[in-house]
Amino acid sequence: MRFFIRKVNGKNSAIESTLLDLQKEILPSDVPLSPKCGHWWIAYLDTGKPVGFCSVARSATWHNAGYLCRAGVLDAYTGHALQKRLIQVRIRKALNLGWNWLITD
């Protein structure tokens, strides 16, 4: 299996729907986060099927910091280092934005 990660526009209605569906399936006990804010990526199988996602947004609490808000991979596609790759794309984005810190909970 081959995967690719693409930065997406959460304001696009089709992308928004995909991100909301992924959040509901991967994180069923959480309230989905709106994809209209922050920066979002989708991990795709080489067939084009979306299998994971992640996001980062400017921290509302700390200056010069980003918040790793959301991430997940469908159970059938774990074990392929996708979470590591999803962290790496967010680190690169934070560096490009000049943020010195990334936080999560």
Side-chain angles (χ1 to χ4, degrees):
M1 278 186 272
R2 295 183 58 119
F3 302 92
F4 61 96
I5 297 171
R6 187 149 323 215
K7 182 150 182 10
V8 296
N9 180 354
K11 295 176 184 173
N12 173 293
S13 61
I15 295 296
E16 178 184 22
S17 179
T18 298
L19 287 166
L20 291 172
D21 289 346
L22 283 168
Q23 289 183 74
K24 289 174 188 172
E25 186 169 353
I26 296 168
L27 306 167
S29 61
D30 287 353
V31 174
L33 186 63
S34 172
K36 293 181 181 181
C37 298
H39 305 275
W40 290 81
W41 293 261
I42 296 178
Y44 294 93
L45 189 56
D46 57 4
T47 62
K49 176 184 177 173
V51 298
F53 69 96
C54 68
S55 67
V56 66
R58 181 178 298 279
S59 171
T61 306
W62 291 284
H63 173 71
N64 204 16
Y67 177 60
L68 302 175
C69 339
R70 218 19 85 124
V73 174
L74 292 171
D75 285 342
Y77 301 97
T78 61
H80 298 280
L82 283 173
Q83 282 287 9
K84 182 177 181 178
R85 291 177 59 193
L86 293 170
I87 290 169
Q88 289 170 340
V89 297
R90 293 180 288 172
I91 289 171
R92 281 194 300 274
K93 183 63 174 178
L95 291 170
N96 287 337
L97 293 170
W99 298 343
N100 293 322
W101 304 95
L102 282 173
I103 55 174
T104 193
D105 52 19

